[in-house]
Amino acid sequence: MAKTQKQEPPIIVGTPNLATYCPDLATWAASWCGEERDVIPGEQIVAVFTPFLLDLLAQGLSRKTRNLHRDNLWLLGGEIIRDINETPKLRKRPVGALIREVIANDEGPLIHGGFSEQEQRSFDSTCKKLNRFLAAHVDSKQG
């Protein structure tokens, strides 16, 4: 009589949740701060980025690609806070409008700090993806 092999239950790979994907998200606003009053716009930026981060998780992208987009978003938030500090009148504008303005041409702002052309292209790719996500999100709310 032949032995029957006991079948192992299938391994279920769960979709990572936001806390796993971006464990430091709650500290992003503070990490961008040049001064105390930067916390509020920083938190507003995080609020705009969060649905996009969740959408990235739902797309089934590779971990490397997701992490690259996440890191580029963190960089974008820092660049926006830098802009707010360099141009104080921007503090009076809604953060969502600032974000959409900065990425309106499907590319991001020029990254400060000597990044390579390849890193800038990657950053621009994330900004393009965010721009399209925000446009679709706004359109679906209006329609």
Side-chain angles (χ1 to χ4, degrees):
M1 189 166 168
K3 284 186 175 179
T4 57
Q5 287 188 331
K6 190 175 183 180
Q7 288 189 354
E8 294 293 322
I11 297 173
I12 299 172
V13 179
T15 303
N17 63 28
L18 190 58
T20 302
Y21 171 46
C22 196
D24 62 342
L25 185 62
T27 65
W28 281 17
S31 73
W32 297 323
C33 279
E35 51 189 88
E36 186 64 32
R37 65 186 183 154
D38 294 339
V39 172
I40 292 173
E43 289 172 345
Q44 293 169 344
I45 291 168
V46 170
V48 172
F49 287 175
T50 299
F52 179 64
L53 288 164
L54 290 167
D55 186 65
L56 290 173
L57 284 173
Q59 289 180 30
L61 302 170
S62 74
R63 183 173 50 137
K64 181 179 177 182
T65 300
R66 284 192 322 258
N67 290 349
L68 190 61
H69 286 308
R70 178 200 61 207
D71 295 347
N72 286 334
L73 280 179
W74 178 84
L75 191 57
L76 176 60
E79 292 296 327
I80 292 168
I81 293 295
R82 177 191 306 272
D83 290 347
I84 288 171
N85 283 316
E86 290 178 355
T87 310
K89 68 181 181 180
L90 294 178
R91 284 192 188 280
K92 296 179 182 178
R93 305 234 4 249
V95 167
L98 283 176
I99 294 169
R100 286 189 299 280
E101 185 177 299
V102 167
I103 61 173
N105 294 323
D106 276 349
E107 57 185 23
L110 188 60
I111 308 169
H112 292 81
F115 285 81
S116 71
E117 193 173 315
Q118 181 180 354
E119 290 165 319
Q120 182 70 47
R121 279 195 306 271
S122 171
F123 178 70
D124 290 343
S125 172
T126 298
C127 291
K128 178 179 182 177
K129 200 168 187 62
L130 174 62
N131 187 33
R132 291 181 179 187
F133 173 83
L134 292 175
H137 188 68
V138 168
D139 290 345
S140 69
K141 282 187 174 183
Q142 291 175 353

